[in-house]
Amino acid sequence: MDGDIIQLPNSLRFTCLHLWKESAEKLSIFEATPPLQPLQKAWGINANVKIGKYIVTSQCLGTGSFATVHLALDPERHRQAACKTIRTKKNSEIGLVMKEVRILMSLKHPNINEIYDTEENKRFIHLFLQLCTGGDLFTYITHANGLGSRICEAEAKYITYQLLQALKYLHEKQISHRDLKVPENILLYCPGPYPRILIADFGLARPNSYQETFNVCGTVSYLPPEGILALDNKHLGYIGMPSDCWSTGVILYIMLCGSHPFDNEPHASSNWVTCARDSHKQGTFASLPDHHSQADLKVKEKIIHGHVEYYRDPWIALPDARRLVDSLLICDPQTRATVHSALASTWILSELEDLEALYRLRISSAQV
Ligand SMILES: Nc1ncnc2c1ncn2[C@@H]1O[C@H](COP(=O)(O)OP(=O)(O)OP(=O)(O)O)[C@@H](O)[C@H]1O
């Protein structure tokens, strides 16, 4: 401890000095005073700060279009958390963020990122969330092993099973997520194979999701055909739950074959394109540069025609998986697979016992 003295008889006397490392030397996610980044300064978190009962560190875990997320510590419960900070300018924005909070607060599921607390001041809303240390699903798929930007069938099945469990829970509560995508919104609870996934970012989630909405939002390359049509025709609406099922089909396709079913041109980068007309995420779509709009147009066309190519590996060897992807990527939302029918697909049912056993062992037991 700082100040302790070790005295060795007839020998030297040592005084222990607790050395506080300069921030520039710290790199690990779990260290309390890591290097500063300009964004963090702009966001107002540039050193350890106390927000409510939490100590929010300057360690940035990630940034989205509307939020920045820092590592936080809860000294009362001796646990770490992720502090998602959203800058709010108008009262209406506060209302929309609080909508996300209310939805999250009403949810408790092993595959949904839990919210612990919120703190609010004039400029920011801070959401304290369950910490995920495994990164996002996209990074996992592209870096996990030597399969070249895809994962093995067994892992893809286990991840799909978890995703469907979370969606079943949400859809039974009449909530749709509407922004499921691999790059940011599916996080891994911790590193390692057969990861536990957590759905994050409920900023576009919608209650009463059996109702048609005219406010299209989400990421273009994950939107279903009816969402794309509604995006371009303001009088058209779409329903959130079938939209989540479509996105699940896209995610499953990506996991198994390592490319996007519709956004697969070499320079098509519409993956990042977020569009929304009904939330604090408003306006992004409108401000796209031209070349992105072009790439985006192609992706939109492919989605509307619902043409999925299965010409490459590994589809020949995976007929049941392909049938499930096909059923989730049906253009007509009325006949598209639901979460229940996806869970009852041959691909899932053929290994249900093993899936359930692994899920119970690694997830349900960890929740208790
Ligand atoms: N609970 C968490 N634990 C660890 N990291 C997280 C957590 N939540 C978010 N992050 C990181 O922060 C990043 C941004 O978070 P999030 O996607 O929620 O922000 P956003 O601005 O709402 O996103 P978007 O750009 O999709 O609108 C994520 O991509 C992820 O890397």
Side-chain angles (χ1 to χ4, degrees):
M1 293 290 291
D2 192 20
D4 281 357
I5 294 171
I6 306 169
Q7 211 160 2
L8 304 173
N10 306 323
S11 182
L12 297 168
R13 184 171 181 255
F14 296 92
T15 303
C16 179
L17 293 175
H18 184 88
L19 287 179
W20 187 250
K21 270 197 277 174
E22 284 307 311
S23 61
E25 293 172 45
K26 298 198 172 195
L27 291 172
S28 153
I29 162 177
F30 297 113
E31 296 196 28
T33 53
L36 289 183
Q37 286 166 18
L39 185 76
Q40 293 161 356
K41 278 189 184 158
W43 225 258
I45 297 174
N46 51 19
N48 291 353
V49 280
K50 191 127 197 312
I51 300 175
K53 67 174 180 181
Y54 292 87
I55 297 162
V56 179
T57 75
S58 55
Q59 175 65 59
C60 184
L61 300 173
T63 53
S65 330
F66 307 93
T68 185
V69 181
H70 288 83
L71 179 68
L73 312 165
D74 174 355
E76 279 176 20
R77 301 199 60 175
H78 305 287
R79 69 179 173 192
Q80 294 170 316
C83 171
K84 175 169 171 175
T85 302
I86 302 162
R87 194 197 289 271
T88 47
K89 290 194 189 111
K90 299 182 234 146
N91 279 346
S92 58
E93 287 174 344
I94 298 175
L96 288 162
V97 177
M98 292 319 279
K99 191 187 94 182
E100 173 180 356
V101 171
R102 272 194 301 277
I103 289 179
L104 267 176
M105 287 279 190
S106 70
L107 305 175
K108 179 101 179 122
H109 189 275
N111 299 115
I112 293 176
N113 196 194
E114 188 182 343
I115 187 164
Y116 299 142
D117 279 303
T118 60
E119 293 289 338
E120 205 183 317
N121 59 34
K122 273 188 193 149
R123 289 167 62 211
F124 301 108
I125 296 181
H126 305 281
L127 315 185
F128 293 92
L129 302 158
Q130 179 183 19
L131 178 67
C132 299
T133 56
D136 63 58
L137 182 57
F138 181 72
T139 312
Y140 185 73
I141 296 170
T142 48
H143 292 85
N145 52 41
L147 281 178
S149 299
R150 59 187 164 97
I151 53 176
C152 71
E153 184 193 5
E155 267 198 312
K157 194 178 288 197
Y158 183 54
I159 290 171
T160 307
Y161 178 75
Q162 295 176 66
L163 188 54
L164 290 171
Q165 291 295 339
L167 286 179
K168 180 170 163 245
Y169 172 83
L170 282 179
H171 289 185
E172 279 170 0
K173 286 178 163 279
Q174 317 289 2
I175 294 169
S176 57
H177 184 279
R178 301 201 302 165
D179 198 16
L180 288 175
K181 57 185 176 183
V182 276
E184 292 144 12
N185 294 347
I186 300 182
L187 303 178
L188 309 189
Y189 180 63
C190 60
Y194 288 82
R196 168 176 166 193
I197 57 148
L198 293 170
I199 301 182
D201 193 359
F202 279 70
L204 301 177
R206 190 184 153 87
N208 302 326
S209 63
Y210 48 85
Q211 290 169 351
E212 200 173 41
T213 171
F214 292 88
N215 298 308
V216 191
C217 59
T219 303
V220 170
S221 55
Y222 290 82
L223 273 180
E226 68 275 16
I228 299 283
L229 289 172
L231 188 64
D232 294 335
N233 301 280
K234 286 186 182 158
H235 63 284
L236 294 178
Y238 79 117
I239 299 175
M241 289 193 276
S243 170
D244 286 346
C245 294
W246 174 278
S247 311
T248 305
V250 174
I251 292 167
L252 176 53
Y253 185 102
I254 294 172
M255 285 195 288
L256 287 173
C257 96
S259 68
H260 194 287
F262 307 106
D263 195 357
N264 46 17
E265 299 280 324
H267 301 295
S269 53
S270 56
N271 249 333
W272 62 276
V273 177
T274 307
C275 52
R277 290 203 289 262
D278 72 336
S279 73
H280 60 287
K281 306 190 170 188
Q282 207 161 17
T284 316
F285 188 64
S287 60
L288 284 177
D290 271 358
H291 59 283
H292 284 298
S293 306
Q294 282 305 318
D296 196 38
L297 221 62
K298 276 195 181 165
V299 175
K300 281 179 176 178
E301 262 169 35
K302 284 190 188 173
I303 294 175
I304 288 170
H305 294 122
H307 179 64
V308 186
E309 284 167 346
Y310 294 99
Y311 55 89
R312 282 170 40 177
D313 237 9
W315 297 110
I316 298 163
L318 303 173
D320 289 340
R322 182 183 160 164
R323 261 191 290 281
L324 176 56
V325 174
D326 264 339
S327 66
L328 290 164
L329 297 182
I330 289 177
C331 283
D332 176 5
Q334 306 265 11
T335 48
R336 186 175 306 148
T338 60
V339 166
H340 283 94
S341 62
L343 279 168
S345 65
T346 315
W347 192 57
I348 296 286
L349 282 188
S350 61
E351 278 172 284
L352 189 62
E353 265 183 38
D354 288 347
L355 288 169
E356 282 179 347
L358 188 61
Y359 193 74
R360 263 199 307 277
L361 187 75
R362 301 194 57 177
I363 296 182
S364 310
S365 55
Q367 282 293 298
V368 196

